[in-house]
Amino acid sequence: MSEDKGGNAGPTPAGASELLTPLPDPAVVLAETDWCDLDHAYGTAESTPAQLVALLDVDQRARSQALGHLHHVVHHQNTLYAATAPAALYVAAILLDPRTALPVEKGPRDFPGPMRAELLGWLDSVANTADNQAEATMRRFGFSPEGYPPFVQTCEIRPLLFAAVSACFDDHNLHVHEAALAACIPLLDDPRLHHHREAVAPLLREKLAASALWQYQERAVEALSAWGEDAEGLPPTAPALRTRRSLPGRSGRTGATPTTRP
């Protein structure tokens, strides 16, 4: 078992000890990354460290603006930039900080939950842009994923991201719990993490597929089917809704409104 900084006990995923390196200290990520040499949607990422620190600010507005920086600048329109992977490492490293249990400002299209759930949703989006489907799409349009450094860098840190995400599986907050389960799905496309699917599948079947949000229901069913796991008796997915726009996220990024299915 592992204990988070907020006092929530969570399981250590089977095989977590196989990770080559532990999650870095967030302060080290900030200090040892040459942010001025990295880019995001609007140029160099020199302002990104301050925004990352603000994710844990005592002021809710400052936290919310920092979250917007992740969605609309560092990972603008689901695009991977040179600054995306280092920022994702920092986010993963602070997930269990007690301050991520604080609230953030919400819009009508935002999924419920505190900052921790929002950060998990952002990691989910980042991981989705480096999953098997994203790789296949790039190849179909004649692009080589191996020749795109932000894609390669994001793939390289997937085991570290999974270690952080899976530590939230037992979070007492339902929205965090569901966001963590959803975020692990694209991460488990990594061949180094395939062996975790067997342990995660029951959680998807029993928890995520039973979510009040149809977006989570569908992702659970799709993942179980893709992994060759039993999805019998679960709600069928609607092909028209099978889209990355169904991922949790901030207003303006996905266009998906969290809704419940009757």
Side-chain angles (χ1 to χ4, degrees):
M1 297 287 286
S2 61
E3 184 86 8
D4 74 19
K5 297 179 182 178
N8 298 322
T12 300
S17 60
E18 299 168 14
L19 296 178
L20 296 178
T21 56
L23 278 166
D25 184 287
V28 172
V29 175
L30 290 181
E32 296 188 356
T33 301
D34 187 358
W35 299 96
C36 292
D37 197 41
L38 303 179
D39 71 325
H40 53 44
Y42 299 103
T44 63
E46 57 188 320
S47 65
T48 295
Q51 293 296 327
L52 293 175
V53 171
L55 292 169
L56 300 177
D57 200 281
V58 296
D59 180 71
Q60 178 171 305
R61 182 167 180 78
R63 294 195 303 273
S64 302
Q65 290 176 338
L67 187 63
H69 182 82
L70 288 181
H71 284 298
H72 304 303
V73 179
V74 177
H75 188 43
H76 180 61
Q77 295 183 345
N78 299 333
T79 300
L80 296 174
Y81 298 92
T84 308
L89 263 185
Y90 179 88
V91 168
I94 66 169
L95 271 182
L96 296 184
D97 188 296
R99 290 169 290 183
T100 62
L102 295 173
V104 291
E105 296 172 356
K106 297 284 185 177
R109 294 171 181 253
D110 296 334
F111 275 49
M115 173 63 88
R116 187 174 295 159
E118 292 280 0
L119 294 177
L120 285 163
W122 184 76
L123 290 174
D124 186 359
S125 177
V126 170
N128 262 281
T129 46
D131 67 359
N132 289 348
Q133 182 180 334
E135 178 180 353
T137 299
M138 291 180 71
R139 294 191 189 283
R140 187 166 63 251
F141 285 95
F143 297 100
S144 169
E146 297 84 0
Y148 186 46
F151 184 95
V152 174
Q153 292 157 6
T154 302
C155 288
E156 287 176 347
I157 65 172
R158 287 187 295 193
L160 291 172
L161 299 185
F162 178 72
V165 167
S166 60
C168 298
F169 282 177
D170 277 359
D171 195 288
H172 69 280
N173 184 292
L174 176 63
H175 304 307
V176 172
H177 170 68
E178 292 184 341
L181 291 176
C184 83
I185 293 173
L187 293 171
L188 292 182
D189 274 357
D190 193 303
R192 296 167 292 178
L193 300 174
H194 282 179
H195 60 287
H196 291 296
R197 289 179 174 180
E198 183 178 357
V200 171
L203 297 175
L204 298 187
R205 186 181 302 107
E206 298 164 14
K207 303 294 184 179
L208 200 63
S211 172
L213 299 177
W214 62 260
Q215 292 93 334
Y216 284 152
Q217 293 178 23
E218 292 206 338
R219 293 194 65 201
V221 174
E222 290 173 1
L224 290 170
S225 298
W227 297 351
E229 297 285 343
D230 180 22
E232 185 177 354
L234 298 179
T237 61
L241 298 176
R242 262 188 232 148
T243 167
R244 292 177 186 274
R245 293 171 66 85
S246 297
L247 293 174
R250 306 295 292 172
S251 299
R253 183 177 67 83
T254 64
T257 303
T259 54
T260 58
R261 174 179 283 154

